[in-house]
Amino acid sequence: MTRLSVNINKIATIRNARGGNNPDIVKVALDCERFGAEGITVHPRPDERHIRHADVPALKSVLTTEFNIEGYPSRDFIDLVIANRPAQVTLVPDSPEQITSNAGWDTERNLSMLTDIVKEFQSAGIRTSLFVGADVRSVEYAAKTGADRVELYTEPYASAYLQNREAAVAPFVKAAEAARECGLGLNAGHDLSLINLAYLKQMIPWMDEVSIGHALVCDALYSGLETTIRKYKQCLTI
């Protein structure tokens, strides 16, 4: 089974636009669980433009499904994650000013740094995933760090899907096969939607988890959160 983890950053963006606590992201996260999501993902950034650091312990205290915290492994981020001990941490190579993730790790170049950080998280009992592109060498070096999983950066797949879905998915299948051969768990995320998710699942049925935020929140504006989560889960039953 491929689990659906709902990224609630966009909900926090709406809240922060007006201050206060509307919408209440803790309530939204609990509703996502109630509607069938198997996990909640957050990405706290240094400027707290969506998820605030204070949101992390508030969510940790109430969530009953898998909690995934993603972000760049600065010292502040590492300390925040270890203090809250989620089920999973996903490390991304984002600079603080980036609007969103736009590349995976160069795992060969950053092998030493990532190995040390993976070891620190695993010592705290936290499963560790590395955000990587659809590149076999990146996957192989991710395995050398001792990471538990990789998360494939799927924006290139999503961008090319409507032109030629077979060509778009081909490098991701190769990377996924490499991850399996290396003994790594497999996640995927970025720009996945109701348009392209089912085909990705069909071609890589052994994915452990997909993390979806922007498209899911946009769809929920029209269909409602409960119906939208159900539709995404249906895409994962292929």
Side-chain angles (χ1 to χ4, degrees), residues 74-90:
S74 64
R75 189 67 247 173
D76 287 348
F77 176 83
I78 293 171
D79 291 344
L80 177 69
V81 173
I82 290 177
N84 289 279
R85 295 181 186 259
Q88 177 175 269
V89 60
T90 301

Side-chain angles (χ1 to χ4, degrees), residues 20-99:
N21 195 40
N22 186 25
D24 182 336
I25 67 160
V26 172
K27 181 180 185 304
V28 171
L30 291 174
D31 285 340
C32 288
E33 289 187 328
R34 184 162 58 89
F35 298 150
E38 291 95 1
I40 299 295
T41 291
V42 297
H43 186 153
R45 293 179 181 273
D47 62 5
E48 298 188 305
R49 63 180 179 265
H50 35 63
I51 293 296
R52 300 169 182 151
H53 286 190
D55 294 328
V56 174
L59 289 162
K60 169 65 177 177
S61 69
V62 297
L63 294 178
T64 57
T65 59
E66 179 180 286
F67 191 25
N68 172 47
I69 305 176
E70 64 180 28
Y72 181 82
S74 64
R75 189 67 247 173
D76 287 348
F77 176 83
I78 293 171
D79 291 344
L80 177 69
V81 173
I82 290 177
N84 289 279
R85 295 181 186 259
Q88 177 175 269
V89 60
T90 301
L91 305 182
V92 298
D94 292 1
S95 61
E97 65 273 10
Q98 282 182 228
I99 294 175

